[in-house]
Amino acid sequence: MPQGASYHYAVLVQRSPDRVRAFASAPEYDVWQRDGEAHIVHHRGMKMTGYALFDKDARPTNGVVVAVSLPSLVMTREIGDVVLLSVADPDFGWSWEIQTPHRQDGSLIVNQPSEPRKVEVTVRGKWRLDQSYDLAEIVEESEDQTIVAFTCQDGESVEVKLISGISVSVANLDFDGDGVIGIGDFLLFASKFGLSEGDAGFEAKYDLDGNGIVGISDFLIFTQGFGKSVGGKPVALRNGSGRLGA
């Protein structure tokens, strides 16, 4: 009965003894937290984090998850500038008083079905959903945090994709300086797509969300301004002179 001790383990499937020893000497993951409030493990290569949050008052200090409204299981994975967020409520919501198999008179009690519960997950940063979801919605957002509400039932996970919710002035999208957000700007943006800080040719002006990568999130921000003039008005059809008119 060790006092104040702890441990963690990994299951390696069909690995040779040499690979197991190599893994043990240099694990591919970090244990960010292991206490009575939460167990949090981060895999560096996959940029994936698993959260077992036993207490709704748990406040993770690493990763994108800040807080949850109920004890829950959460997983995140960062893919470029997109975050996949998966949430499950391990509590089926049963009323245990009526789960006794038989009444005193011997008759059978039918099990109560599980009830859906709402789990709110607070994540760092300003995000938006990539599409509408039946079981998830953003209920609150600010420049620093976003709260996503999930409707969970039967222990099943609900997964969403989060993309940057940062807004950018239309003027910042006019890369070619012609006063219109058009094909020329798109071609310039496309020429930088996929570049990161430190890469040859990287320019910060194309990194619209400021995360160091010109990626999907930046493209979605760009599309919000496409077809507008710097003054904010939609662009009309080409006029007789061949120029775009506003």
Side-chain angles (χ1 to χ4, degrees):
M1 298 181 64
Q3 301 297 315
S6 63
Y7 71 94
H8 58 90
Y9 66 90
V11 178
L12 306 181
V13 180
Q14 296 183 342
R15 298 286 184 93
S16 67
D18 288 342
R19 294 187 66 185
V20 171
R21 282 191 290 270
F23 183 92
S25 62
E28 300 168 3
Y29 63 90
D30 298 308
V31 179
W32 282 351
Q33 185 172 338
R34 46 179 169 175
D35 54 31
E37 290 189 342
H39 287 177
I40 304 174
V41 178
H42 174 72
H43 191 284
R44 295 186 298 275
M46 299 179 67
K47 294 186 177 181
M48 180 179 291
T49 307
Y51 301 78
L53 301 165
F54 312 126
D55 192 323
K56 65 181 180 63
D57 293 325
R59 294 294 182 267
T61 56
N62 295 318
V64 298
V65 175
V66 176
V68 291
S69 62
L70 292 173
S72 50
L73 301 174
V74 180
M75 291 194 74
T76 64
R77 186 174 185 184
E78 300 174 48
I79 303 177
D81 49 8
V82 170
V83 172
L84 301 180
L85 175 62
S86 178
V87 179
D89 175 12
D91 189 333
F92 276 35
W94 285 335
S95 173
W96 292 100
E97 293 180 359
I98 66 170
Q99 293 301 303
T100 305
H102 296 84
R103 296 187 177 91
Q104 290 183 351
D105 61 5
S107 60
L108 180 66
I109 295 179
V110 178
N111 284 342
Q112 174 193 1
S114 64
E115 296 289 338
R117 298 205 305 174
K118 181 172 289 188
V119 180
E120 293 185 350
V121 180
T122 304
V123 294
R124 291 182 175 85
K126 186 175 183 179
W127 301 90
R128 57 191 177 91
L129 299 172
D130 70 319
Q131 63 182 49
S132 62
Y133 291 87
D134 293 336
L135 300 177
E137 62 178 338
I138 291 178
V139 294
E140 187 177 328
E141 61 179 321
S142 66
E143 292 300 323
D144 300 324
Q145 295 183 345
T146 303
I147 300 178
V148 187
F150 295 83
T151 301
C152 298
Q153 189 173 11
D154 295 330
E156 295 181 349
S157 60
V158 180
E159 181 176 292
V160 301
K161 181 186 291 185
L162 299 176
I163 57 179
S164 175
I166 298 172
S167 60
V168 175
S169 169
V170 171
N172 292 337
L173 306 178
D174 184 19
F175 303 126
D176 60 9
D178 67 352
V180 173
I181 314 306
I183 294 297
D185 303 297
F186 171 74
L187 293 175
L188 289 170
F189 176 83
S191 70
K192 305 296 182 181
F193 190 82
L195 296 180
S196 303
E197 285 182 314
D199 292 342
F202 175 84
E203 293 184 56
K205 67 179 181 180
Y206 298 100
D207 178 19
L208 301 173
D209 61 5
N211 72 343
I213 302 172
V214 182
I216 294 295
S217 169
D218 303 299
F219 173 71
L220 294 173
I221 294 172
F222 178 79
T223 60
Q224 296 175 23
F226 189 80
K228 295 180 180 179
S229 67
V230 172
K233 297 180 180 179
V235 176
L237 297 175
R238 290 183 181 273
N239 56 30
S241 65
R243 297 177 59 191
L244 289 174

